[in-house]
Amino acid sequence: MDERTIVEEARRGRRDAFEELVKMYSRKVFHLAYGFVRDRAAADDLSQEVFIKIFRSLEKFRSDSEFGTWLYRVAVNHIKDHLRKTARRKEVSLEDLGEGPIAVADPAEEREAERETEAKRRLLFRILESLPPKYRLILTMRDVDGLSYEDVAKILDIAPGTVDSRLHRARKMLRKRMAAALAQEGG
Amino acid sequence: MRCRTAERWLSRALDRPLDDSIRKALESHLAGCAGCRAAASELRALRTRLSQGVRPEPVPGFWGRIERRLAEAPSLEPQAVWLRWGLRAIPASLAMIAGFLGAMILFLPASVETSPAQALLFGEQNPLAETRTIIDDDKPGNRDIAVLFAGDERLNGLGRTPRP
């Protein structure tokens, strides 16, 4: 069965068809959510909420558009809402960036250079978390998840020119904050 | 090319190929600008690190959890359904009202037949003013004739034409 047929079946209320869609997209949605919350349990919760929302709004889905793009848009909007709600509760400052709880496979087995690279990566992701939601979102979609430039424009429903300028500002801010954090670490 | 412009093109180059003319201008700028060369390599490094970020596996049993949640609330609350349909009905009702008003404007006759009293009222004519001219006439004969013909609408329309 192709995806369009599965979606149609799910729209008619068939649970097994919806289960199929969940299996097809759950990993992608989970990774998108994880890119924002950096916490497995929270990402799992967010992903569940996204699929519940999808299930309840399947009737709104127009079959002439792509299901994956629509699902991603619902997921992004849900994550944006979540970020908006939690933004005030969790302000990440540059001072907090040094200590990172992200698990590393086994540091003892890694060489010194690899450890350093991993430390920088962790620092980078913590800085990414500190960016304003719209910059964090577009960087996660484009640079972390590797979505195509065109898909980013479609999912966020913005013009390609806006994708350009937003990505540029986001990367500039990320680079600036990263340099400041490294300078702070070094000094 | 200025550094600020070069930086913008460097970012764009990460997403899609640049036009030949822009690429050449950028390359020539980079050849002479150490700051932008450093920015270019930093941007590439950041991009690589972001794309190689740790991506944990989803928690097992995902569908089971979804299924449980769907079973807990299989459909929307009846109140929510009514609210949803109510909200959908608002634009439809507004469209019907607008259509009705439009039809009234289109199909109602332009002029409406009015009674003499309505004509006086809507024409803002004062019947007392006319009566006053009759009363003020010096000759009693003229007064009698005017009073006699004033009420005859067949002769002078509404019988309220102003006197010379």
Side-chain angles (χ1 to χ4, degrees), chain A residues 25-41:
Chain A
Y25 285 99
S26 59
R27 181 179 288 264
K28 285 182 184 174
V29 173
F30 175 81
H31 283 147
L32 180 75
Y34 184 83
F36 287 97
V37 292
R38 313 297 300 167
D39 177 89
R40 219 164 152 233

Side-chain angles (χ1 to χ4, degrees), chain B residues 83-121:
Chain B
L83 183 68
R84 200 173 56 173
W85 280 102
L87 288 174
R88 279 182 191 175
I90 291 172
S93 311
L94 288 175
M96 277 173 67
I97 291 168
F100 181 69
L101 289 175
M104 273 180 70
I105 291 166
L106 276 176
F107 296 115
L108 274 184
S111 60
V112 180
E113 215 171 285
T114 52
S115 69
Q118 283 171 333
L120 284 171
L121 180 66

Side-chain angles (χ1 to χ4, degrees), chain B residues 33-54:
Chain B
C33 179
C36 284
R37 277 201 304 277
S41 69
E42 267 176 44
L43 273 173
R44 277 195 299 270
L46 287 179
R47 177 78 177 289
T48 308
R49 277 190 205 125
L50 285 175
S51 65
Q52 293 170 346
V54 182

Side-chain angles (χ1 to χ4, degrees), chain A residues 15 18-19 22 26-27 30-31 34 38 40 44-45 47-49 51-52 55-56 59 102-103 117-118 120-121 124-125 128 139 142-145 149 160 164-165 167-168 171-172 174-175 178, chain B residues 4 7-12 14-16 35 38-40 42-43 45-60 62-63 65-67 69-71 73-76 84 88:
Chain A
R15 283 283 171 96
F18 184 65
E19 182 181 355
V22 170
S26 59
R27 181 179 288 264
F30 175 81
H31 283 147
Y34 184 83
R38 313 297 300 167
R40 219 164 152 233
D44 187 68
D45 265 353
S47 311
Q48 284 181 48
E49 286 159 14
F51 280 104
I52 300 285
F55 181 78
R56 287 184 178 154
E59 62 179 47
I102 298 163
T117 307
E118 187 51 40
K120 274 187 183 170
R121 191 176 294 141
L124 180 63
F125 274 96
L128 180 66
L139 277 179
R142 177 76 189 115
D143 290 353
V144 180
D145 284 348
Y149 183 85
D164 262 347
S165 54
L167 271 173
H168 169 61
R171 285 170 182 151
K172 195 173 175 181
L174 185 71
R175 200 158 66 86
M178 185 72 181
Chain B
R4 186 181 280 194
E7 208 177 312
R8 185 174 283 271
W9 290 121
L10 284 172
S11 172
R12 190 178 286 186
L14 294 177
D15 304 308
R16 48 185 171 162
E42 267 176 44
L43 273 173
L46 287 179
R47 177 78 177 289
T48 308
R49 277 190 205 125
L50 285 175
S51 65
Q52 293 170 346
V54 182
R55 290 161 77 92
E57 282 301 299
V59 185
F62 186 70
W63 170 248
R65 289 192 294 282
I66 296 267
E67 210 174 16
R69 285 177 78 159
L70 288 174
S75 60
L76 293 174
R84 200 173 56 173
R88 279 182 191 175

